[in-house]
Amino acid sequence: MPAAKARAMDAFFAKACGKQVHHRFADALQMKEALVELAKLV
């Protein structure tokens, strides 16, 4: 299970810091929703 949490966190940060705009979150609401889902895993 810890590996799944680490992968989920890595995926979140990869999307948040994507080099290309279309790889990032579209807006703050989408980012917040992803954070809420991430928090459920912790």
Coordinates of all heavy atoms in Angstrom, one line a residue:
M1 N 0.8 -1.2 0.0 CA 0.0 0.0 0.0 C 0.8 1.3 0.0 O 0.5 2.2 -0.7 CB -1.0 0.0 1.2 CG -2.0 1.0 1.1 SD -3.2 0.8 -0.2 CE -4.7 1.3 0.5
P2 N 1.9 1.4 0.8 CA 2.7 2.6 0.7 C 3.2 2.9 -0.7 O 3.3 4.1 -1.0 CB 3.9 2.3 1.7 CG 3.4 1.3 2.6 CD 2.4 0.4 1.8
A3 N 3.5 1.9 -1.5 CA 4.0 2.2 -2.8 C 3.0 2.9 -3.6 O 3.2 3.7 -4.5 CB 4.5 0.9 -3.5
A4 N 1.7 2.5 -3.5 CA 0.6 3.1 -4.2 C 0.4 4.5 -3.8 O 0.2 5.4 -4.7 CB -0.7 2.3 -3.9
K5 N 0.6 4.8 -2.5 CA 0.5 6.2 -2.1 C 1.7 7.1 -2.7 O 1.4 8.2 -3.1 CB 0.6 6.3 -0.5 CG -0.6 5.7 0.1 CD -0.4 5.7 1.7 CE -1.5 5.0 2.4 NZ -1.3 4.9 3.8
A6 N 2.8 6.5 -2.7 CA 4.0 7.2 -3.3 C 3.8 7.5 -4.8 O 4.1 8.5 -5.3 CB 5.3 6.4 -3.1
R7 N 3.3 6.5 -5.5 CA 3.0 6.6 -6.9 C 1.9 7.7 -7.2 O 2.0 8.5 -8.1 CB 2.6 5.3 -7.6 CG 3.7 4.4 -7.8 CD 3.3 3.2 -8.7 NE 2.3 2.4 -8.1 CZ 2.5 1.4 -7.3 NH1 3.7 1.1 -6.9 NH2 1.4 0.7 -6.8
A8 N 0.9 7.7 -6.3 CA -0.2 8.7 -6.4 C 0.4 10.1 -6.2 O 0.0 11.1 -6.9 CB -1.3 8.4 -5.5
M9 N 1.2 10.2 -5.2 CA 1.8 11.6 -4.9 C 2.8 12.0 -6.0 O 2.7 13.1 -6.5 CB 2.6 11.5 -3.6 CG 3.0 12.9 -3.1 SD 3.6 12.9 -1.4 CE 2.0 12.8 -0.5
D10 N 3.5 11.1 -6.6 CA 4.4 11.4 -7.7 C 3.6 11.8 -8.9 O 4.0 12.8 -9.6 CB 5.3 10.2 -8.1 CG 6.4 9.9 -7.1 OD1 6.7 10.8 -6.3 OD2 7.0 8.8 -7.2
A11 N 2.5 11.1 -9.2 CA 1.6 11.5 -10.3 C 1.0 12.9 -10.1 O 1.0 13.7 -11.1 CB 0.5 10.5 -10.4
F12 N 0.6 13.2 -8.9 CA 0.1 14.5 -8.6 C 1.1 15.6 -8.9 O 0.8 16.6 -9.6 CB -0.4 14.7 -7.2 CG -0.8 16.1 -6.8 CD1 -2.0 16.5 -7.1 CD2 0.1 16.9 -6.2 CE1 -2.4 17.8 -6.8 CE2 -0.2 18.2 -5.9 CZ -1.5 18.7 -6.2
F13 N 2.3 15.5 -8.4 CA 3.4 16.5 -8.6 C 3.8 16.5 -10.0 O 4.1 17.6 -10.6 CB 4.5 16.3 -7.6 CG 4.2 16.8 -6.3 CD1 4.0 15.9 -5.2 CD2 4.2 18.1 -6.0 CE1 3.6 16.3 -4.0 CE2 3.9 18.6 -4.7 CZ 3.6 17.7 -3.7
A14 N 3.9 15.4 -10.7 CA 4.2 15.4 -12.1 C 3.2 16.2 -12.9 O 3.6 17.0 -13.8 CB 4.3 14.0 -12.7
K15 N 1.9 16.0 -12.6 CA 0.9 16.8 -13.3 C 1.0 18.3 -12.9 O 0.8 19.2 -13.8 CB -0.5 16.2 -13.0 CG -1.6 16.9 -13.8 CD -2.9 16.1 -13.8 CE -3.8 16.8 -14.7 NZ -4.9 15.9 -15.2
A16 N 1.2 18.6 -11.7 CA 1.3 20.0 -11.2 C 2.4 20.7 -11.8 O 2.4 21.9 -12.1 CB 1.4 20.0 -9.7
C17 N 3.5 20.0 -12.1 CA 4.7 20.6 -12.6 C 5.0 20.3 -14.1 O 6.2 20.4 -14.5 CB 5.9 20.2 -11.7 SG 5.7 20.7 -10.0
G18 N 4.0 19.8 -14.8 CA 4.2 19.4 -16.2 C 4.9 20.5 -17.0 O 4.6 21.7 -16.9
K19 N 5.8 20.1 -17.9 CA 6.5 21.1 -18.7 C 5.6 21.8 -19.7 O 5.7 22.9 -20.0 CB 7.7 20.5 -19.4 CG 8.8 20.2 -18.5 CD 10.0 19.6 -19.3 CE 11.2 19.3 -18.3 NZ 12.4 18.9 -19.1
Q20 N 4.7 21.0 -20.3 CA 3.8 21.5 -21.3 C 2.4 21.8 -20.6 O 2.0 21.1 -19.7 CB 3.6 20.5 -22.4 CG 4.9 20.3 -23.1 CD 4.8 19.3 -24.3 OE1 3.7 18.7 -24.4 NE2 5.8 19.2 -25.0
V21 N 1.8 22.9 -21.0 CA 0.5 23.3 -20.4 C -0.5 22.2 -20.4 O -1.2 22.0 -19.4 CB 0.0 24.6 -21.2 CG1 -1.4 25.0 -20.6 CG2 1.0 25.7 -21.0
H22 N -0.6 21.5 -21.5 CA -1.7 20.5 -21.5 C -1.4 19.3 -20.6 O -2.3 18.4 -20.5 CB -2.0 20.0 -23.0 CG -0.8 19.4 -23.7 ND1 0.2 20.1 -24.3 CD2 -0.5 18.1 -23.8 CE1 1.1 19.2 -24.8 NE2 0.7 18.0 -24.5
H23 N -0.3 19.2 -20.0 CA 0.1 18.1 -19.1 C -0.3 18.6 -17.6 O -0.2 17.7 -16.7 CB 1.5 17.8 -19.2 CG 1.9 17.0 -20.4 ND1 3.2 16.9 -20.9 CD2 1.1 16.4 -21.3 CE1 3.2 16.2 -22.0 NE2 1.9 15.9 -22.3
R24 N -0.6 19.8 -17.4 CA -0.8 20.4 -16.1 C -2.3 20.4 -15.8 O -3.2 20.2 -16.7 CB -0.3 21.8 -16.0 CG 1.2 21.9 -16.1 CD 1.6 23.3 -15.9 NE 2.7 23.6 -16.8 CZ 2.9 24.7 -17.5 NH1 2.1 25.7 -17.3 NH2 3.9 24.9 -18.3
F25 N -2.7 20.7 -14.5 CA -4.1 20.9 -14.2 C -4.6 22.0 -14.9 O -3.9 23.1 -15.1 CB -4.2 21.1 -12.6 CG -3.8 19.9 -11.8 CD1 -2.6 19.8 -11.2 CD2 -4.7 18.8 -11.7 CE1 -2.3 18.7 -10.4 CE2 -4.3 17.7 -10.9 CZ -3.1 17.7 -10.3
A26 N -5.9 21.9 -15.3 CA -6.5 23.0 -16.1 C -6.7 24.3 -15.3 O -6.6 25.4 -15.8 CB -7.8 22.5 -16.7
D27 N -7.0 24.1 -14.0 CA -7.3 25.2 -13.1 C -7.1 24.8 -11.6 O -6.9 23.6 -11.3 CB -8.7 25.8 -13.3 CG -9.8 24.7 -13.2 OD1 -9.7 23.8 -12.4 OD2 -10.8 24.9 -14.0
A28 N -7.3 25.7 -10.7 CA -7.1 25.5 -9.3 C -8.1 24.5 -8.8 O -7.8 23.7 -7.9 CB -7.1 26.8 -8.5
L29 N -9.3 24.5 -9.3 CA -10.4 23.6 -8.8 C -10.0 22.2 -9.1 O -10.1 21.3 -8.3 CB -11.7 24.0 -9.4 CG -12.9 23.1 -9.0 CD1 -13.1 23.1 -7.5 CD2 -14.2 23.5 -9.7
Q30 N -9.5 21.9 -10.3 CA -9.1 20.6 -10.7 C -7.9 20.1 -9.8 O -7.9 19.0 -9.4 CB -8.7 20.6 -12.2 CG -8.4 19.2 -12.7 CD -8.0 19.2 -14.2 OE1 -7.0 19.8 -14.5 NE2 -8.7 18.5 -15.0
M31 N -7.0 21.0 -9.5 CA -5.9 20.7 -8.6 C -6.4 20.4 -7.2 O -6.0 19.4 -6.6 CB -4.9 21.8 -8.6 CG -3.6 21.5 -7.8 SD -2.5 22.9 -7.7 CE -1.1 22.2 -8.4
K32 N -7.3 21.2 -6.7 CA -7.9 20.9 -5.4 C -8.6 19.6 -5.3 O -8.4 18.8 -4.4 CB -8.9 22.0 -5.0 CG -9.6 21.8 -3.7 CD -10.7 22.8 -3.5 CE -11.6 22.3 -2.3 NZ -13.0 22.4 -2.6
E33 N -9.3 19.2 -6.4 CA -10.0 17.9 -6.4 C -9.0 16.8 -6.3 O -9.2 15.8 -5.7 CB -10.9 17.8 -7.6 CG -12.1 18.8 -7.5 CD -12.9 18.9 -8.8 OE1 -12.4 18.4 -9.8 OE2 -14.0 19.5 -8.8
A34 N -7.9 16.9 -7.1 CA -6.9 15.9 -7.1 C -6.2 15.8 -5.7 O -5.9 14.7 -5.2 CB -5.8 16.2 -8.1
L35 N -6.0 17.0 -5.0 CA -5.5 16.9 -3.6 C -6.4 16.3 -2.7 O -6.0 15.5 -1.8 CB -5.2 18.4 -3.2 CG -3.9 19.0 -3.6 CD1 -3.8 20.4 -3.2 CD2 -2.7 18.2 -3.0
V36 N -7.7 16.5 -2.8 CA -8.7 15.8 -1.9 C -8.6 14.3 -2.1 O -8.6 13.6 -1.1 CB -10.1 16.4 -2.2 CG1 -11.2 15.5 -1.5 CG2 -10.2 17.8 -1.8
E37 N -8.5 13.9 -3.3 CA -8.4 12.4 -3.6 C -7.1 11.9 -3.0 O -7.1 10.8 -2.5 CB -8.5 12.2 -5.1 CG -9.9 12.4 -5.7 CD -11.0 11.6 -5.0 OE1 -10.8 10.4 -4.8 OE2 -12.0 12.2 -4.6
L38 N -6.0 12.6 -3.2 CA -4.7 12.2 -2.7 C -4.8 12.1 -1.1 O -4.2 11.2 -0.6 CB -3.7 13.2 -3.1 CG -2.2 12.9 -2.8 CD1 -1.8 11.6 -3.5 CD2 -1.3 14.0 -3.2
A39 N -5.4 13.1 -0.5 CA -5.6 13.1 1.0 C -6.3 11.8 1.5 O -6.0 11.4 2.6 CB -6.2 14.3 1.4
K40 N -7.2 11.3 0.7 CA -7.9 10.1 1.1 C -7.0 8.9 1.2 O -7.3 7.9 1.9 CB -9.1 9.8 0.1 CG -10.2 10.8 0.1 CD -11.2 10.5 -0.9 CE -12.3 11.5 -0.9 NZ -13.3 11.2 -2.0
L41 N -5.9 8.9 0.5 CA -5.0 7.8 0.5 C -4.0 7.8 1.7 O -3.4 6.8 2.0 CB -4.1 7.8 -0.8 CG -4.9 7.6 -2.1 CD1 -3.9 7.7 -3.3 CD2 -5.6 6.2 -2.1
V42 N -3.8 9.0 2.2 CA -2.9 9.2 3.3 C -3.4 8.8 4.6 O -4.5 8.8 4.9 CB -2.4 10.6 3.3 CG1 -1.4 10.8 4.5 CG2 -1.7 11.0 2.0

